[in-house]
Amino acid sequence: MAEGLLGRLGGRGHSPGKSFPVALSKEEWRRKLSAAQYRVLREHGTERAGSSPLDKQYGGGVYHCAGCGQPLFSSNTKFDSGTGWPSFWAPLDEAVEMQTDRSLFMSRTEVHCSRCGGHLGHVFDDGPQPTGQRYCMNGVSLDFSAGETSPATGITAPAKPAAEP
């Protein structure tokens, strides 16, 4: 709860004039989401590091927004950042938007769903190639669809080393 309050006091959140294709009232979001999902997606909270089973999920599939179902990340771009949060080096094309987050006495780049505006996490410039970015996402803001094939990201994944005989 404090993170939501600090987020609001710190100027976080989307500009009042910004509208999204999926827009629900606070009451509708509360009914649709779990308490933890609401805290992260709608109040800009952060889940505890290491608390999401999606951090260690490395099967093939697509990660969707838990708020609206929009495809966000392909498993092809997921990597183990060692942070305790699911991390990706690129989102799917036009799936996310970014804005500056100046809360908690620092400046970071917040990542949110381009379809519903839900807060997903932050992006940092310390990730692997080919982008050098680390999209550090709250697992509670994501739903994983195993085996689903993702649309293209517009970025070529680095070649994986061949298995030794």
Side-chain angles (χ1 to χ4, degrees):
M1 187 73 167
E3 288 175 7
L5 176 61
L6 288 173
R8 287 189 292 278
L9 293 175
R12 292 168 86 177
H14 307 292
S15 58
K18 177 71 175 173
S19 61
F20 295 93
V22 174
L24 302 176
S25 69
K26 286 183 181 182
E27 294 76 28
E28 290 171 318
W29 281 118
R30 284 191 188 278
R31 284 193 301 271
K32 178 178 176 63
L33 303 170
S34 70
Q37 288 172 323
Y38 186 87
R39 188 175 65 78
V40 170
L41 286 163
R42 309 315 306 170
E43 294 182 332
H44 302 266
T46 301
E47 69 187 358
R48 186 173 41 85
S51 65
S52 173
L54 293 181
D55 180 41
K56 300 301 181 198
Q57 170 58 255
Y58 290 102
V62 175
Y63 294 81
H64 295 258
C65 175
C68 70
Q70 172 164 267
L72 300 171
F73 296 94
S74 166
S75 61
N76 293 336
T77 65
K78 190 167 191 293
F79 69 98
D80 184 358
S81 65
T83 61
W85 287 283
S87 298
F88 306 84
W89 51 261
L92 296 173
D93 289 341
E94 300 182 23
V96 302
E97 294 178 350
M98 270 102 28
Q99 71 181 40
T100 302
D101 169 3
R102 291 187 175 90
S103 66
L104 303 176
F105 310 105
M106 65 180 100
S107 182
R108 302 178 290 175
T109 302
E110 176 189 342
V111 178
H112 62 265
C113 175
S114 66
R115 189 166 173 239
C116 72
H119 171 74
L120 303 169
H122 294 87
V123 63
F124 303 94
D125 291 326
D126 61 0
Q129 292 303 313
T131 65
Q133 295 183 313
R134 172 175 51 96
Y135 286 80
C136 191
M137 303 293 100
N138 288 285
V140 73
S141 68
L142 305 172
D143 284 330
F144 180 64
S145 182
E148 182 178 344
T149 304
S150 65
T153 61
I155 299 171
T156 305
K160 296 191 179 192
E164 293 189 27

Short mmCIF file of all heavy atoms in Angstrom, two decimals, residues 26-86:
data_model
loop_
_atom_site.label_atom_id
_atom_site.label_comp_id
_atom_site.label_asym_id
_atom_site.label_seq_id
_atom_site.Cartn_x
_atom_site.Cartn_y
_atom_site.Cartn_z
N LYS A 26 -11.76 2.06 -11.32
CA LYS A 26 -11.01 1.46 -10.21
C LYS A 26 -11.74 0.24 -9.67
O LYS A 26 -11.13 -0.78 -9.38
CB LYS A 26 -10.79 2.48 -9.09
CG LYS A 26 -9.77 3.51 -9.40
CD LYS A 26 -9.57 4.44 -8.21
CE LYS A 26 -8.55 5.51 -8.52
NZ LYS A 26 -8.30 6.39 -7.38
N GLU A 27 -13.05 0.35 -9.55
CA GLU A 27 -13.84 -0.77 -9.01
C GLU A 27 -13.80 -1.97 -9.94
O GLU A 27 -13.71 -3.12 -9.49
CB GLU A 27 -15.29 -0.32 -8.77
CG GLU A 27 -15.45 0.73 -7.68
CD GLU A 27 -15.02 2.14 -8.11
OE1 GLU A 27 -15.09 2.47 -9.33
OE2 GLU A 27 -14.58 2.91 -7.24
N GLU A 28 -13.88 -1.73 -11.26
CA GLU A 28 -13.81 -2.84 -12.22
C GLU A 28 -12.44 -3.51 -12.19
O GLU A 28 -12.35 -4.74 -12.25
CB GLU A 28 -14.12 -2.32 -13.63
CG GLU A 28 -15.58 -1.94 -13.83
CD GLU A 28 -15.83 -1.22 -15.13
OE1 GLU A 28 -15.02 -0.34 -15.53
OE2 GLU A 28 -16.86 -1.53 -15.78
N TRP A 29 -11.36 -2.71 -12.09
CA TRP A 29 -10.02 -3.30 -12.00
C TRP A 29 -9.90 -4.13 -10.73
O TRP A 29 -9.32 -5.21 -10.74
CB TRP A 29 -8.94 -2.22 -12.02
CG TRP A 29 -8.62 -1.67 -13.39
CD1 TRP A 29 -8.76 -0.38 -13.81
CD2 TRP A 29 -8.12 -2.39 -14.52
NE1 TRP A 29 -8.38 -0.27 -15.13
CE2 TRP A 29 -7.97 -1.49 -15.58
CE3 TRP A 29 -7.76 -3.73 -14.74
CZ2 TRP A 29 -7.48 -1.86 -16.84
CZ3 TRP A 29 -7.29 -4.11 -16.00
CH2 TRP A 29 -7.16 -3.18 -17.02
N ARG A 30 -10.43 -3.63 -9.61
CA ARG A 30 -10.34 -4.37 -8.34
C ARG A 30 -11.06 -5.71 -8.42
O ARG A 30 -10.62 -6.70 -7.86
CB ARG A 30 -10.91 -3.53 -7.19
CG ARG A 30 -9.98 -2.44 -6.74
CD ARG A 30 -10.47 -1.81 -5.44
NE ARG A 30 -9.73 -0.65 -5.08
CZ ARG A 30 -8.55 -0.67 -4.46
NH1 ARG A 30 -7.99 -1.80 -4.15
NH2 ARG A 30 -7.94 0.46 -4.17
N ARG A 31 -12.18 -5.75 -9.13
CA ARG A 31 -12.91 -7.02 -9.28
C ARG A 31 -12.18 -7.98 -10.22
O ARG A 31 -12.20 -9.18 -10.02
CB ARG A 31 -14.33 -6.75 -9.81
CG ARG A 31 -15.28 -6.21 -8.76
CD ARG A 31 -16.74 -6.26 -9.20
NE ARG A 31 -17.02 -5.52 -10.42
CZ ARG A 31 -17.36 -4.23 -10.46
NH1 ARG A 31 -17.47 -3.54 -9.35
NH2 ARG A 31 -17.61 -3.64 -11.62
N LYS A 32 -11.52 -7.44 -11.23
CA LYS A 32 -10.86 -8.27 -12.25
C LYS A 32 -9.52 -8.85 -11.76
O LYS A 32 -9.18 -9.98 -12.10
CB LYS A 32 -10.61 -7.41 -13.50
CG LYS A 32 -9.90 -8.12 -14.63
CD LYS A 32 -9.75 -7.19 -15.82
CE LYS A 32 -8.97 -7.80 -16.94
NZ LYS A 32 -9.56 -8.97 -17.55
N LEU A 33 -8.78 -8.08 -10.97
CA LEU A 33 -7.42 -8.46 -10.57
C LEU A 33 -7.36 -8.96 -9.13
O LEU A 33 -8.19 -8.57 -8.30
CB LEU A 33 -6.49 -7.24 -10.70
CG LEU A 33 -6.42 -6.58 -12.08
CD1 LEU A 33 -5.65 -5.26 -11.98
CD2 LEU A 33 -5.78 -7.51 -13.10
N SER A 34 -6.35 -9.76 -8.84
CA SER A 34 -6.09 -10.13 -7.44
C SER A 34 -5.56 -8.88 -6.72
O SER A 34 -5.17 -7.90 -7.37
CB SER A 34 -5.05 -11.24 -7.36
OG SER A 34 -3.77 -10.73 -7.73
N ALA A 35 -5.51 -8.91 -5.41
CA ALA A 35 -5.01 -7.77 -4.64
C ALA A 35 -3.56 -7.44 -5.04
O ALA A 35 -3.20 -6.27 -5.21
CB ALA A 35 -5.11 -8.04 -3.15
N ALA A 36 -2.73 -8.46 -5.21
CA ALA A 36 -1.33 -8.25 -5.58
C ALA A 36 -1.22 -7.67 -7.00
O ALA A 36 -0.41 -6.77 -7.25
CB ALA A 36 -0.54 -9.56 -5.48
N GLN A 37 -2.02 -8.18 -7.92
CA GLN A 37 -2.01 -7.65 -9.28
C GLN A 37 -2.46 -6.20 -9.31
O GLN A 37 -1.86 -5.37 -9.99
CB GLN A 37 -2.91 -8.49 -10.19
CG GLN A 37 -2.36 -9.85 -10.51
CD GLN A 37 -3.37 -10.71 -11.26
OE1 GLN A 37 -4.58 -10.66 -11.00
NE2 GLN A 37 -2.87 -11.51 -12.20
N TYR A 38 -3.50 -5.89 -8.55
CA TYR A 38 -4.00 -4.51 -8.51
C TYR A 38 -2.91 -3.58 -7.97
O TYR A 38 -2.68 -2.50 -8.51
CB TYR A 38 -5.27 -4.41 -7.66
CG TYR A 38 -5.88 -3.03 -7.71
CD1 TYR A 38 -6.78 -2.69 -8.72
CD2 TYR A 38 -5.54 -2.06 -6.77
CE1 TYR A 38 -7.32 -1.41 -8.79
CE2 TYR A 38 -6.07 -0.78 -6.84
CZ TYR A 38 -6.96 -0.47 -7.85
OH TYR A 38 -7.48 0.80 -7.93
N ARG A 39 -2.24 -3.98 -6.90
CA ARG A 39 -1.21 -3.15 -6.29
C ARG A 39 -0.10 -2.84 -7.29
O ARG A 39 0.39 -1.71 -7.36
CB ARG A 39 -0.62 -3.84 -5.05
CG ARG A 39 0.33 -2.95 -4.26
CD ARG A 39 0.80 -3.62 -2.98
NE ARG A 39 1.60 -4.80 -3.23
CZ ARG A 39 2.89 -4.76 -3.59
NH1 ARG A 39 3.50 -3.62 -3.74
NH2 ARG A 39 3.55 -5.88 -3.78
N VAL A 40 0.32 -3.82 -8.08
CA VAL A 40 1.39 -3.60 -9.05
C VAL A 40 0.87 -2.91 -10.30
O VAL A 40 1.39 -1.86 -10.70
CB VAL A 40 2.09 -4.93 -9.42
CG1 VAL A 40 3.04 -4.76 -10.60
CG2 VAL A 40 2.84 -5.48 -8.21
N LEU A 41 -0.13 -3.48 -10.95
CA LEU A 41 -0.60 -2.95 -12.23
C LEU A 41 -1.24 -1.58 -12.13
O LEU A 41 -1.06 -0.74 -13.03
CB LEU A 41 -1.59 -3.93 -12.87
CG LEU A 41 -0.98 -5.20 -13.45
CD1 LEU A 41 -2.05 -6.25 -13.68
CD2 LEU A 41 -0.24 -4.90 -14.75
N ARG A 42 -2.02 -1.33 -11.10
CA ARG A 42 -2.78 -0.08 -11.02
C ARG A 42 -2.21 0.93 -10.04
O ARG A 42 -2.46 2.12 -10.17
CB ARG A 42 -4.25 -0.36 -10.66
CG ARG A 42 -4.96 -1.41 -11.50
CD ARG A 42 -4.78 -1.33 -13.00
NE ARG A 42 -5.09 -0.06 -13.62
CZ ARG A 42 -4.79 0.24 -14.89
NH1 ARG A 42 -4.20 -0.65 -15.66
NH2 ARG A 42 -5.08 1.41 -15.38
N GLU A 43 -1.43 0.48 -9.05
CA GLU A 43 -0.88 1.40 -8.05
C GLU A 43 0.64 1.50 -8.12
O GLU A 43 1.26 2.08 -7.25
CB GLU A 43 -1.30 0.97 -6.64
CG GLU A 43 -2.79 1.08 -6.40
CD GLU A 43 -3.21 0.70 -5.00
OE1 GLU A 43 -2.51 -0.13 -4.36
OE2 GLU A 43 -4.23 1.23 -4.54
N HIS A 44 1.24 0.90 -9.14
CA HIS A 44 2.69 0.99 -9.38
C HIS A 44 3.52 0.38 -8.27
O HIS A 44 4.62 0.85 -7.98
CB HIS A 44 3.10 2.45 -9.63
CG HIS A 44 2.38 3.05 -10.78
ND1 HIS A 44 2.89 3.06 -12.05
CD2 HIS A 44 1.15 3.63 -10.87
CE1 HIS A 44 2.01 3.63 -12.86
NE2 HIS A 44 0.96 3.98 -12.18
N GLY A 45 3.03 -0.67 -7.66
CA GLY A 45 3.78 -1.37 -6.62
C GLY A 45 4.86 -2.25 -7.23
O GLY A 45 5.02 -2.35 -8.45
N THR A 46 5.62 -2.90 -6.36
CA THR A 46 6.66 -3.84 -6.78
C THR A 46 6.56 -5.09 -5.93
O THR A 46 6.47 -4.99 -4.71
CB THR A 46 8.07 -3.22 -6.60
OG1 THR A 46 8.14 -2.02 -7.39
CG2 THR A 46 9.16 -4.18 -7.03
N GLU A 47 6.55 -6.25 -6.58
CA GLU A 47 6.54 -7.49 -5.82
C GLU A 47 7.93 -7.76 -5.25
O GLU A 47 8.93 -7.25 -5.76
CB GLU A 47 6.08 -8.66 -6.69
CG GLU A 47 7.08 -9.04 -7.78
CD GLU A 47 6.55 -10.08 -8.75
OE1 GLU A 47 5.43 -10.56 -8.59
OE2 GLU A 47 7.29 -10.40 -9.69
N ARG A 48 7.99 -8.55 -4.22
CA ARG A 48 9.26 -8.92 -3.58
C ARG A 48 10.10 -9.75 -4.56
O ARG A 48 9.60 -10.64 -5.24
CB ARG A 48 8.96 -9.72 -2.31
CG ARG A 48 10.17 -10.04 -1.46
CD ARG A 48 9.76 -10.69 -0.14
NE ARG A 48 8.69 -11.66 -0.25
CZ ARG A 48 8.88 -12.94 -0.56
NH1 ARG A 48 10.07 -13.42 -0.78
NH2 ARG A 48 7.84 -13.76 -0.63
N ALA A 49 11.37 -9.44 -4.66
CA ALA A 49 12.29 -10.19 -5.53
C ALA A 49 12.26 -11.67 -5.18
O ALA A 49 12.21 -12.04 -4.01
CB ALA A 49 13.71 -9.65 -5.39
N GLY A 50 12.26 -12.51 -6.19
CA GLY A 50 12.28 -13.96 -5.99
C GLY A 50 10.93 -14.57 -5.65
O GLY A 50 10.84 -15.77 -5.44
N SER A 51 9.88 -13.75 -5.61
CA SER A 51 8.56 -14.27 -5.20
C SER A 51 7.74 -14.82 -6.37
O SER A 51 6.77 -15.53 -6.15
CB SER A 51 7.77 -13.19 -4.48
OG SER A 51 7.46 -12.11 -5.36
N SER A 52 8.13 -14.54 -7.59
CA SER A 52 7.34 -15.00 -8.74
C SER A 52 7.90 -16.27 -9.35
O SER A 52 9.09 -16.34 -9.69
CB SER A 52 7.31 -13.92 -9.83
OG SER A 52 6.69 -14.43 -10.99
N PRO A 53 7.06 -17.28 -9.54
CA PRO A 53 7.53 -18.49 -10.22
C PRO A 53 7.93 -18.21 -11.68
O PRO A 53 8.68 -18.97 -12.26
CB PRO A 53 6.33 -19.45 -10.14
CG PRO A 53 5.16 -18.62 -9.75
CD PRO A 53 5.67 -17.38 -9.11
N LEU A 54 7.46 -17.10 -12.25
CA LEU A 54 7.82 -16.78 -13.63
C LEU A 54 9.28 -16.38 -13.78
O LEU A 54 9.83 -16.43 -14.88
CB LEU A 54 6.92 -15.66 -14.17
CG LEU A 54 5.45 -16.02 -14.36
CD1 LEU A 54 4.67 -14.84 -14.92
CD2 LEU A 54 5.28 -17.25 -15.25
N ASP A 55 9.93 -16.03 -12.68
CA ASP A 55 11.35 -15.69 -12.75
C ASP A 55 12.16 -16.88 -13.26
O ASP A 55 13.12 -16.70 -14.01
CB ASP A 55 11.87 -15.24 -11.38
CG ASP A 55 13.34 -14.86 -11.41
OD1 ASP A 55 13.77 -14.21 -12.38
OD2 ASP A 55 14.06 -15.22 -10.46
N LYS A 56 11.79 -18.08 -12.86
CA LYS A 56 12.53 -19.28 -13.25
C LYS A 56 11.84 -20.07 -14.36
O LYS A 56 12.19 -21.21 -14.64
CB LYS A 56 12.75 -20.19 -12.04
CG LYS A 56 13.56 -19.52 -10.93
CD LYS A 56 14.93 -19.08 -11.40
CE LYS A 56 15.71 -18.44 -10.28
NZ LYS A 56 16.82 -17.65 -10.77
N GLN A 57 10.85 -19.47 -15.02
CA GLN A 57 10.14 -20.11 -16.13
C GLN A 57 10.95 -19.87 -17.41
O GLN A 57 11.13 -18.74 -17.82
CB GLN A 57 8.74 -19.50 -16.28
CG GLN A 57 7.99 -19.89 -17.53
CD GLN A 57 7.79 -21.37 -17.68
OE1 GLN A 57 8.46 -22.01 -18.48
NE2 GLN A 57 6.88 -21.92 -16.92
N TYR A 58 11.46 -20.95 -17.99
CA TYR A 58 12.26 -20.80 -19.21
C TYR A 58 11.72 -21.62 -20.38
O TYR A 58 12.39 -21.79 -21.38
CB TYR A 58 13.73 -21.12 -18.94
CG TYR A 58 14.37 -20.05 -18.09
CD1 TYR A 58 14.57 -20.26 -16.74
CD2 TYR A 58 14.68 -18.82 -18.64
CE1 TYR A 58 15.10 -19.26 -15.95
CE2 TYR A 58 15.21 -17.81 -17.85
CZ TYR A 58 15.42 -18.03 -16.50
OH TYR A 58 15.94 -17.04 -15.72
N GLY A 59 10.49 -22.10 -20.27
CA GLY A 59 9.87 -22.81 -21.38
C GLY A 59 9.46 -21.84 -22.47
O GLY A 59 9.38 -20.63 -22.25
N GLY A 60 9.19 -22.37 -23.63
CA GLY A 60 8.76 -21.56 -24.76
C GLY A 60 7.34 -21.08 -24.58
O GLY A 60 6.49 -21.80 -24.06
N GLY A 61 7.08 -19.86 -25.02
CA GLY A 61 5.74 -19.31 -24.94
C GLY A 61 5.75 -17.80 -24.97
O GLY A 61 6.75 -17.17 -25.33
N VAL A 62 4.62 -17.22 -24.58
CA VAL A 62 4.44 -15.77 -24.62
C VAL A 62 3.96 -15.29 -23.26
O VAL A 62 3.10 -15.93 -22.63
CB VAL A 62 3.43 -15.37 -25.72
CG1 VAL A 62 3.13 -13.88 -25.70
CG2 VAL A 62 3.95 -15.79 -27.10
N TYR A 63 4.48 -14.15 -22.83
CA TYR A 63 4.08 -13.50 -21.59
C TYR A 63 3.09 -12.38 -21.94
O TYR A 63 3.38 -11.53 -22.77
CB TYR A 63 5.30 -12.92 -20.87
CG TYR A 63 6.24 -13.99 -20.38
CD1 TYR A 63 7.16 -14.58 -21.24
CD2 TYR A 63 6.18 -14.42 -19.07
CE1 TYR A 63 8.02 -15.58 -20.80
CE2 TYR A 63 7.04 -15.43 -18.61
CZ TYR A 63 7.95 -15.99 -19.48
OH TYR A 63 8.79 -16.98 -19.04
N HIS A 64 1.92 -12.44 -21.31
CA HIS A 64 0.83 -11.49 -21.57
C HIS A 64 0.63 -10.57 -20.37
O HIS A 64 0.97 -10.93 -19.24
CB HIS A 64 -0.49 -12.24 -21.80
CG HIS A 64 -0.49 -13.09 -23.02
ND1 HIS A 64 -1.10 -12.70 -24.18
CD2 HIS A 64 0.05 -14.32 -23.27
CE1 HIS A 64 -0.96 -13.64 -25.09
NE2 HIS A 64 -0.26 -14.64 -24.56
N CYS A 65 0.02 -9.42 -20.61
CA CYS A 65 -0.37 -8.53 -19.52
C CYS A 65 -1.47 -9.20 -18.71
O CYS A 65 -2.47 -9.66 -19.26
CB CYS A 65 -0.88 -7.20 -20.09
SG CYS A 65 -1.53 -6.08 -18.84
N ALA A 66 -1.29 -9.28 -17.40
CA ALA A 66 -2.29 -9.89 -16.53
C ALA A 66 -3.55 -9.03 -16.42
O ALA A 66 -4.59 -9.51 -16.01
CB ALA A 66 -1.70 -10.13 -15.13
N GLY A 67 -3.45 -7.77 -16.83
CA GLY A 67 -4.61 -6.89 -16.77
C GLY A 67 -5.53 -7.02 -17.97
O GLY A 67 -6.74 -7.09 -17.83
N CYS A 68 -4.95 -7.07 -19.17
CA CYS A 68 -5.79 -7.05 -20.38
C CYS A 68 -5.52 -8.19 -21.35
O CYS A 68 -6.23 -8.33 -22.35
CB CYS A 68 -5.63 -5.71 -21.10
SG CYS A 68 -4.01 -5.47 -21.87
N GLY A 69 -4.48 -8.98 -21.11
CA GLY A 69 -4.20 -10.12 -21.99
C GLY A 69 -3.34 -9.82 -23.19
O GLY A 69 -3.06 -10.71 -24.00
N GLN A 70 -2.88 -8.58 -23.35
CA GLN A 70 -2.06 -8.25 -24.51
C GLN A 70 -0.73 -9.00 -24.45
O GLN A 70 -0.07 -9.02 -23.41
CB GLN A 70 -1.78 -6.74 -24.55
CG GLN A 70 -0.75 -6.39 -25.63
CD GLN A 70 -0.73 -4.94 -25.98
OE1 GLN A 70 -1.42 -4.57 -26.91
NE2 GLN A 70 0.03 -4.14 -25.26
N PRO A 71 -0.29 -9.60 -25.57
CA PRO A 71 1.04 -10.21 -25.62
C PRO A 71 2.11 -9.13 -25.43
O PRO A 71 2.05 -8.08 -26.07
CB PRO A 71 1.12 -10.81 -27.03
CG PRO A 71 -0.30 -10.92 -27.49
CD PRO A 71 -1.03 -9.79 -26.82
N LEU A 72 3.07 -9.40 -24.54
CA LEU A 72 4.09 -8.40 -24.20
C LEU A 72 5.51 -8.84 -24.55
O LEU A 72 6.28 -8.07 -25.12
CB LEU A 72 4.05 -8.09 -22.70
CG LEU A 72 2.76 -7.52 -22.14
CD1 LEU A 72 2.82 -7.48 -20.62
CD2 LEU A 72 2.49 -6.14 -22.72
N PHE A 73 5.86 -10.08 -24.16
CA PHE A 73 7.23 -10.57 -24.32
C PHE A 73 7.23 -12.00 -24.82
O PHE A 73 6.40 -12.81 -24.41
CB PHE A 73 7.98 -10.54 -22.98
CG PHE A 73 8.17 -9.17 -22.40
CD1 PHE A 73 7.27 -8.67 -21.48
CD2 PHE A 73 9.25 -8.38 -22.79
CE1 PHE A 73 7.43 -7.40 -20.94
CE2 PHE A 73 9.42 -7.12 -22.25
CZ PHE A 73 8.51 -6.62 -21.33
N SER A 74 8.19 -12.31 -25.67
CA SER A 74 8.42 -13.68 -26.11
C SER A 74 9.42 -14.34 -25.18
O SER A 74 10.36 -13.69 -24.71
CB SER A 74 8.98 -13.67 -27.54
OG SER A 74 9.50 -14.94 -27.87
N SER A 75 9.26 -15.62 -24.96
CA SER A 75 10.24 -16.36 -24.16
C SER A 75 11.61 -16.35 -24.83
O SER A 75 12.63 -16.55 -24.16
CB SER A 75 9.77 -17.80 -23.94
OG SER A 75 9.63 -18.46 -25.18
N ASN A 76 11.66 -16.08 -26.13
CA ASN A 76 12.94 -16.02 -26.85
C ASN A 76 13.82 -14.87 -26.36
O ASN A 76 15.02 -14.88 -26.60
CB ASN A 76 12.71 -15.86 -28.36
CG ASN A 76 12.07 -17.07 -28.97
OD1 ASN A 76 12.18 -18.17 -28.44
ND2 ASN A 76 11.38 -16.88 -30.08
N THR A 77 13.22 -13.87 -25.72
CA THR A 77 14.00 -12.72 -25.24
C THR A 77 14.19 -12.74 -23.73
O THR A 77 14.76 -11.81 -23.16
CB THR A 77 13.32 -11.39 -25.64
OG1 THR A 77 12.06 -11.26 -24.97
CG2 THR A 77 13.13 -11.29 -27.14
N LYS A 78 13.79 -13.81 -23.06
CA LYS A 78 13.92 -13.92 -21.61
C LYS A 78 15.33 -14.39 -21.25
O LYS A 78 15.93 -15.19 -21.96
CB LYS A 78 12.90 -14.90 -21.04
CG LYS A 78 12.82 -14.88 -19.51
CD LYS A 78 11.59 -15.64 -19.04
CE LYS A 78 11.34 -15.43 -17.58
NZ LYS A 78 12.32 -15.99 -16.70
N PHE A 79 15.85 -13.86 -20.16
CA PHE A 79 17.17 -14.29 -19.68
C PHE A 79 17.21 -14.22 -18.16
O PHE A 79 16.36 -13.56 -17.54
CB PHE A 79 18.29 -13.44 -20.30
CG PHE A 79 18.33 -12.01 -19.83
CD1 PHE A 79 19.20 -11.60 -18.83
CD2 PHE A 79 17.49 -11.05 -20.39
CE1 PHE A 79 19.24 -10.29 -18.39
CE2 PHE A 79 17.52 -9.72 -19.96
CZ PHE A 79 18.40 -9.34 -18.95
N ASP A 80 18.17 -14.89 -17.57
CA ASP A 80 18.32 -14.90 -16.12
C ASP A 80 19.21 -13.73 -15.72
O ASP A 80 20.43 -13.78 -15.88
CB ASP A 80 18.93 -16.22 -15.64
CG ASP A 80 19.01 -16.32 -14.13
OD1 ASP A 80 18.64 -15.35 -13.43
OD2 ASP A 80 19.44 -17.37 -13.64
N SER A 81 18.60 -12.68 -15.20
CA SER A 81 19.34 -11.48 -14.82
C SER A 81 19.93 -11.59 -13.42
O SER A 81 20.74 -10.76 -13.02
CB SER A 81 18.42 -10.26 -14.88
OG SER A 81 17.39 -10.37 -13.90
N GLY A 82 19.49 -12.59 -12.65
CA GLY A 82 19.96 -12.75 -11.29
C GLY A 82 19.34 -11.76 -10.32
O GLY A 82 19.78 -11.66 -9.17
N THR A 83 18.32 -11.03 -10.75
CA THR A 83 17.70 -10.00 -9.90
C THR A 83 16.54 -10.54 -9.06
O THR A 83 16.14 -9.91 -8.10
CB THR A 83 17.15 -8.84 -10.76
OG1 THR A 83 16.15 -9.35 -11.65
CG2 THR A 83 18.26 -8.17 -11.55
N GLY A 84 15.96 -11.68 -9.49
CA GLY A 84 14.79 -12.20 -8.79
C GLY A 84 13.48 -11.79 -9.43
O GLY A 84 12.41 -12.12 -8.93
N TRP A 85 13.55 -11.09 -10.57
CA TRP A 85 12.37 -10.72 -11.33
C TRP A 85 12.53 -11.24 -12.76
O TRP A 85 13.65 -11.28 -13.28
CB TRP A 85 12.18 -9.20 -11.39
CG TRP A 85 11.73 -8.58 -10.11
CD1 TRP A 85 10.47 -8.59 -9.58
CD2 TRP A 85 12.54 -7.86 -9.18
NE1 TRP A 85 10.46 -7.91 -8.38
CE2 TRP A 85 11.72 -7.46 -8.11
CE3 TRP A 85 13.89 -7.52 -9.14
CZ2 TRP A 85 12.18 -6.73 -7.03
CZ3 TRP A 85 14.36 -6.79 -8.07
CH2 TRP A 85 13.51 -6.40 -7.03
N PRO A 86 11.42 -11.64 -13.41
CA PRO A 86 11.50 -12.04 -14.81
C PRO A 86 12.09 -10.90 -15.64
O PRO A 86 11.66 -9.75 -15.51
CB PRO A 86 10.04 -12.30 -15.21
CG PRO A 86 9.31 -12.50 -13.92
CD PRO A 86 10.04 -11.69 -12.89
#
